[in-house]
Amino acid sequence: MNAIFDNIFNSPYINEFTATQFLLLVICGLLVGLLITAFYTYRNEYSQGFVITLALVPAIVSIVILTVSDNIGTGIAVAGAFSLVRFRSIPGTAKEIGAIFMAMGAGLLNGVGYVGYAVLFTLIMGTAYVVYNRLDLGRTKDRREHQVLNISIPEDLDFSKEFDDILEEYTSSFRLTRVKTTNMGSMFRLTYDIVPRDPVKQKDMIDKIRCRNGNLEVSVSDIRDDMATL
């Protein structure tokens, strides 16, 4: 049992490595990436591009750490910056960033030769992820469906209480959460957090809002925990 968790290089500071050790790290990194991907895709929305990237990150991080193993601090810095390049242009959700960091952790363990610990870490964290999802950890106790209502209005419209009567009629609760200028400052976009009384009457609510905002854009979307960006 102890042999499973031994360092394949007998030291985290690797002066030289063989082709067999190199291939072992790559293969184990890919297997760990597939494990992490399997856990991440459980009861979760995802894109194919992100899933493929997530599956490759542990192997990539392992090789980065292997090639700069004489300076672990430099390796961690390089691997961290490299694995988060995706989030420079596309906002990452909390779950995506968490999955990336989990893949990085497994890749770091694998890269310094602790293959057994990398697999064990992946199994523990992946199991915790599945259990937390099953328990709906962090989900509000109020099971009513919250939604986001976006209303575009002209800049000369006083929006302070313009739509309150409509929202009181069609929602159980509503709250103005954001006001933003759009279209070079010629319009405002109002964002409300609402709880509809009857989803069937959503069109009636939108039609009444359009009569007030000059038939400008109105949108309603669901609030989902996994869309909270960092």
Side-chain angles (χ1 to χ4, degrees):
M1 178 63 69
N2 289 335
I4 296 176
F5 298 102
D6 285 345
N7 190 306
I8 65 172
F9 302 107
N10 297 318
S11 171
Y13 301 96
I14 308 148
N15 296 321
E16 58 182 21
F17 52 88
T18 64
T20 301
Q21 291 170 327
F22 176 85
L23 289 175
L24 180 61
L25 286 188
V26 173
I27 292 172
C28 288
L30 292 174
L31 291 176
V32 166
L34 289 176
L35 272 176
I36 293 173
T37 300
F39 285 121
Y40 177 78
T41 54
Y42 175 75
R43 295 183 64 184
N44 192 26
E45 295 182 359
Y46 53 87
S47 65
Q48 182 182 19
F50 178 75
V51 167
I52 293 175
T53 301
L54 187 62
L56 294 176
V57 164
I60 296 172
V61 172
S62 297
I63 299 308
V64 171
I65 295 300
L66 180 64
T67 54
V68 293
S69 55
D70 56 334
N71 190 328
I72 297 297
T74 301
I76 292 175
V78 171
F82 184 68
S83 63
L84 291 176
V85 165
R86 174 181 182 270
F87 298 103
R88 291 178 59 87
S89 56
I90 303 176
T93 67
K95 284 187 177 180
E96 287 176 339
I97 294 177
I100 285 290
F101 277 119
M102 184 166 70
M104 283 179 56
L108 291 172
L109 284 170
N110 189 65
V112 297
Y114 292 108
V115 175
Y117 285 109
V119 175
L120 182 62
F121 168 79
T122 301
L123 291 175
I124 293 174
M125 298 302 294
T127 301
Y129 177 85
V130 171
V131 170
Y132 292 161
N133 258 346
R134 292 285 297 180
L135 295 176
D136 284 335
L137 183 66
R139 188 177 297 276
T140 177
K141 293 181 180 179
D142 185 356
R143 295 187 177 182
R144 296 176 301 176
E145 289 295 329
H146 286 251
Q147 293 182 323
V148 174
L149 171 65
N150 290 305
I151 305 174
S152 296
I153 62 173
E155 61 175 343
D156 58 350
L157 181 65
D158 182 8
F159 57 82
S160 55
K161 294 185 180 296
E162 181 66 28
F163 304 100
D164 286 8
D165 58 331
I166 299 175
L167 295 178
E168 286 174 357
E169 179 182 355
Y170 290 98
T171 68
S172 300
S173 66
F174 64 92
R175 181 169 63 92
L176 181 63
T177 58
R178 185 174 63 175
V179 178
K180 180 181 178 182
T181 59
T182 61
N183 199 25
M184 301 297 291
S186 62
M187 293 192 300
F188 286 100
R189 175 171 293 173
L190 312 180
T191 301
Y192 290 87
D193 178 7
I194 65 172
V195 178
R197 291 184 189 275
D198 185 357
V200 176
K201 296 182 178 180
Q202 187 178 94
K203 183 180 184 302
D204 294 338
M205 179 184 71
I206 293 176
D207 287 341
K208 288 188 177 181
I209 293 174
R210 289 168 58 198
C211 292
R212 298 276 183 92
N213 75 337
N215 203 28
L216 295 176
E217 180 182 5
V218 178
S219 67
V220 179
S221 59
D222 293 334
I223 294 179
R224 296 179 181 174
D225 293 340
D226 58 354
M227 295 307 294
T229 59
L230 294 179

